[in-house]
Amino acid sequence: MGPINSNSPEQRVARLIERDAYLERYASVLLRRLHNVEATRLRITEGRVALPELASGHEYFGLHFRDGHWVLREWAPNAVSIHLKGPFSDWRPDPKYALSREGTEGVWEVELPEAMLAHGDPYRLEVRWPGGGGDRLPAWARRPSAPLLVYEAHVGMAQAEPKVGTYEEFRTNVLPRIRDAGYEAVQIMALAEHPYYASFGYQVSSYFACSSRFGTPEELKALVDDAHGMGLRIFMDLVHSHAGRNEVEGISSQDGTPSLYFHEGPRGEHPAWNSRCFDYAKPQVLHFLLSNCRFWMDEFRMDGFRFDGVTSMLYLDHGLSRAFSGYDDYFGPNVDEDALTYLTLANELIHDLWPDAVTIAEDVSGYPGLALPLSEGGAGFDYRFAMGVADTWIELTKDVPDEEWSLAQLWHELTNRRRDEGTISYAESHDQALVGDQTLIFRLI
């Protein structure tokens, strides 16, 4: 037998164990998970295309103008009929705008002459399935019309006036202040469309549409361009950990089945967030989410992503009320290995598209190797997001008199991390500033 490939799963596991000898007893689990990544990549690409080529579904699905005509495609295997409707059809299901089912994979398609639609027309789908039907927005829609969806993003909170700000105001008023303060990157929350104000953008409905409350996609692109001109990088909060349960505005029941993009039964429901949980084992779901990563890089030139809710993705119990006190927590049956595989493939894709892209994992569990390169047996994130540091600062300033601060506890929280993995720590984050608390400056005053 010849030598093992230096980048084989076996060699990557060996390098991971060299970093942390405690992982040796879990070598078989690590190896199985890396083999699962390889097998899943082969399954979804069928060995015929590279991962970046596969993750171009946004160029196929959704509404596009191609070669002098409009083409709309949607994945809805349970549907029995789909009609595109809007002001051009008096918002009624006109046979001229009926989609046809193509092949056996549940893909529906319609081609329309240029004159039948105009740029800027609002539109939606009327989907019928056995026993029912309803209006739906296309899952790959890039620009849901403002009257149908009313959103707020944190771009809107960054203004001095008591009003919702815009991409333009953020571009002209806020970006220069960020640059002048010496920062190098801007992490923008809630860019994808979301119907519920109080979710702060964390219950997404349209994954390929930027939040329209603040302006147009062109204005967001101008914001990103100006940031790049100032030497700032733009990181997007990417919410692939769950989805809003809205049906008319979202993808919760796109073709009448609640499990099209999500798990069947209780596993498809997030008990703490009242949202839907993706089934990361489905090739079509992987195609959707990987294409979403590439879409934001291709279309808006995002420089990287902070993946929200990684702990919730990694564990079947979403990490709720779990202390993560030992290695068995990371290598037992509670780990969602399909989710881990997706995160690994997403990092591979993003860094293949642009090696300088930055990915950050919001994980409080301390999963070993999460922020190590794929070549070292890791999941490929560049950094972890250390949530405990911000929690500690707010707890101290809120509840503990200065003279009673424990330096030992503070030292532990500031240094409690895996030494060989990059970590980003904030003095405060959105959890402290927005979710029922106050900013540090208010506490200090």
Side-chain angles (χ1 to χ4, degrees), residues 66 128 140 299 359:
R66 297 280 191 266
R128 295 289 165 188
W140 301 74
E299 190 72 14
T359 57

Side-chain angles (χ1 to χ4, degrees), residues 428-443:
E428 60 184 339
S429 73
H430 58 275
D431 278 0
Q432 289 71 42
L434 296 174
V435 187
D437 213 308
Q438 297 176 345
T439 62
L440 275 176
I441 187 62
F442 277 104
R443 290 290 177 198

Side-chain angles (χ1 to χ4, degrees), residues 29 80-81 83 101 104 108 134 139 141 148 158 164 182 192 196 222 269 281-282 284 295 321 437 445:
V29 178
V80 295
S81 71
H83 287 82
R101 190 176 186 123
T104 60
W108 294 75
L148 300 175
V164 175
Y196 182 40
E269 308 285 339
K282 283 187 178 180
Q284 297 92 338
F295 167 78
S321 302
D437 213 308
I445 290 173

Side-chain angles (χ1 to χ4, degrees), residues 82-389:
I82 301 179
H83 287 82
L84 175 68
K85 63 183 189 180
F88 43 83
S89 69
D90 198 24
W91 292 102
R92 295 175 180 172
D94 189 317
K96 296 196 300 273
Y97 295 92
L99 280 70
S100 301
R101 190 176 186 123
E102 304 294 326
T104 60
E105 299 298 320
V107 177
W108 294 75
E109 177 181 316
V110 63
E111 294 187 9
L112 301 169
E114 179 178 4
M116 293 181 73
L117 293 176
H119 180 68
D121 276 348
Y123 65 92
R124 59 183 7 180
L125 303 177
E126 182 172 302
V127 183
R128 295 289 165 188
W129 52 80
D135 281 4
R136 297 291 185 264
L137 287 179
W140 301 74
R142 299 190 179 193
R143 190 178 177 181
S145 58
L148 300 175
L149 301 170
V150 180
Y151 303 101
E152 182 186 25
H154 290 180
V155 164
M157 299 179 191
Q159 308 300 321
E161 298 81 9
K163 69 181 187 71
V164 175
T166 66
Y167 295 129
E168 275 295 291
E169 289 169 326
F170 191 92
R171 179 179 69 84
T172 57
N173 300 334
V174 182
L175 280 180
R177 294 172 57 190
I178 295 172
R179 175 200 59 197
D180 294 344
Y183 289 94
E184 298 176 340
V186 187
Q187 177 185 307
I188 302 182
M189 299 171 62
L191 284 179
E193 287 282 25
H194 52 287
Y196 182 40
Y197 172 91
S199 78
F200 301 112
Y202 289 121
Q203 294 198 3
V204 175
S205 56
S206 297
Y207 283 80
F208 293 83
C210 65
S211 187
S212 55
R213 175 183 286 262
F214 314 103
T216 66
E218 291 71 27
E219 288 166 338
L220 176 57
K221 291 176 183 179
L223 186 163
V224 175
D225 286 345
D226 271 23
H228 288 164
M230 296 177 186
L232 293 169
R233 292 193 282 178
I234 298 292
F235 300 153
M236 174 187 177
D237 255 24
L238 196 68
V239 186
H240 285 180
S241 47
H242 63 135
R245 63 185 309 108
N246 300 58
E247 295 183 356
V248 174
E249 301 94 342
I251 61 171
S252 180
S253 182
Q254 192 71 2
D255 66 348
T257 55
S259 58
L260 183 65
Y261 288 93
F262 310 104
H263 283 289
E264 294 270 6
R267 190 175 172 189
E269 308 285 339
H270 198 294
W273 297 342
N274 192 30
S275 54
R276 306 303 316 282
C277 298
F278 286 106
D279 183 348
Y280 303 102
K282 283 187 178 180
Q284 297 92 338
V285 172
L286 295 176
H287 185 218
F288 181 78
L289 295 176
L290 290 169
S291 296
N292 192 237
C293 295
R294 179 168 182 173
F295 167 78
W296 289 102
M297 298 177 75
D298 285 355
E299 190 72 14
F300 289 94
R301 298 295 185 260
M302 292 294 162
D303 299 287
F305 303 100
R306 189 197 76 126
F307 279 72
D308 175 72
V310 167
T311 304
S312 178
M313 298 172 70
L314 286 176
Y315 305 98
L316 298 179
D317 64 2
H318 307 294
L320 299 172
S321 302
R322 182 174 288 271
F324 296 102
S325 56
Y327 277 76
D328 286 344
D329 289 326
Y330 308 128
F331 299 100
N334 185 44
V335 174
D336 187 339
E337 297 190 352
D338 294 324
L340 180 61
T341 291
Y342 163 65
L343 291 169
T344 306
L345 291 174
N347 276 297
E348 177 184 335
L349 166 72
I350 291 165
H351 291 102
D352 277 355
L353 291 171
W354 188 35
D356 290 334
V358 173
T359 57
I360 305 164
E362 186 199 28
D363 172 51
V364 298
S365 76
Y367 181 88
L370 193 64
L372 285 176
L374 275 66
S375 61
E376 299 298 316
F381 284 100
D382 295 293
Y383 299 97
R384 298 176 182 273
F385 184 75
M387 302 291 291
V389 173

